[in-house]
Amino acid sequence: MSNAFHEENGPQPPQVLRAPVEILANLRLLQQNHDPLIITFYERNQRFQSYLVDVNGERGLIALDEMIPNDGERFLRNNEPFRVEGFRDGVRIAWECLQPTTIGEHGGNRCYWCYLPEEVTYHQRRNAFRAPLKQTQLVPVELDGDKLKAPIKGVMLDISATGCKLRFEGDLSGRLQAGQVYERFSARMPIGPIVTPVELRHFNFDEKLGLSFVGVRFHKMSGLVQRNVERFVYQLQREARRFEKDDLF
């Protein structure tokens, strides 16, 4: 049944971008949309979050915002190479920083100046039908794990076979971290509740609405949970197609 979730175009194999114009265009997308970046240092397990705050093609430099948590800065001071990974509309955009990084400022705030990468990996990874939920059928969810002092309750906005988008009240930027695995995510879906670990991939706080929007990827799901998720997505997909047909008449 999982074939039902593959988009017509399907996932594409990774591409290595080497043309400066392509590299600059993709990095500027990450910068302009303020997409969170995951930074990992070689031979270290800890992950850090940052953002692209400047992409300067003329100088051949990019600026990364101060890392969260900021104790990763000591690895930069040791000139340790690191990887950077971001996501935009289901596309993984990643590169390596192998040369020494300079600690400086951008707009009066602390930043890390790195050389513009010579290669960027561009990988269209989303291969699952993403089903939006109507306002009348939003699924109650609860996010919990060893890194949280208390569970966080919210609602599910959409779901695919590989992950879902969530909405929570208030600003949770101080409690949630991109790249972190939360061991106990539960959702009360109409076909039955599920409990599974999830990895937080995207986070955005909308100040005007006072809401936090979170994208998570299911992590090491059991076979039973995966089948229930696929059943629910398939059900939503059938409903969406039925409404599309009704709209034609």
Side-chain angles (χ1 to χ4, degrees), residues 61-122:
L61 295 173
I62 60 175
L64 297 173
D65 198 11
E66 190 171 10
M67 281 188 289
I68 304 172
N70 60 12
D71 57 349
E73 187 172 302
R74 69 178 186 272
F75 304 140
L76 290 181
R77 292 184 180 279
N78 293 335
N79 293 329
E80 295 187 26
F82 57 93
R83 303 183 187 89
V84 185
E85 179 182 52
F87 292 85
R88 168 106 305 257
D89 294 331
V91 176
R92 176 179 177 266
I93 301 172
W95 66 95
E96 297 179 321
C97 291
L98 304 177
Q99 296 176 307
T101 298
T102 302
I103 299 173
E105 287 191 356
H106 180 271
N109 298 312
R110 197 174 188 80
C111 76
Y112 313 121
W113 289 101
C114 316
Y115 286 103
L116 191 71
E118 296 181 358
E119 294 184 350
V120 166
T121 299
Y122 179 98

Side-chain angles (χ1 to χ4, degrees), residues 139-232:
V139 172
V141 301
E142 186 173 279
L143 189 63
D144 195 10
D146 297 342
K147 298 290 185 179
L148 294 175
K149 293 181 179 179
I152 305 172
K153 294 183 178 181
V155 293
M156 181 188 295
L157 301 179
D158 68 30
I159 185 171
S160 75
T162 57
C164 56
K165 184 176 181 179
L166 313 173
R167 186 185 72 202
F168 298 99
E169 297 282 345
D171 183 2
L172 301 179
S173 57
R175 299 177 64 185
L176 299 178
Q177 181 180 342
Q180 180 65 50
V181 173
Y182 297 93
E183 296 86 356
R184 295 176 295 280
F185 168 77
S186 59
R188 298 202 300 271
M189 300 190 306
I191 62 171
I194 63 165
V195 179
T196 183
V198 293
E199 181 183 3
L200 197 151
R201 305 300 296 179
H202 313 286
F203 177 88
N204 179 56
F205 173 62
D206 191 312
E207 293 185 7
K208 292 183 180 179
L209 299 176
L211 297 171
S212 292
F213 296 92
V214 175
V216 300
R217 184 171 64 185
F218 299 128
H219 182 76
K220 296 182 179 179
M221 277 194 298
S222 70
L224 177 61
V225 170
Q226 184 170 3
R227 287 191 294 273
N228 285 338
V229 168
E230 291 185 347
R231 280 177 55 212
F232 184 44

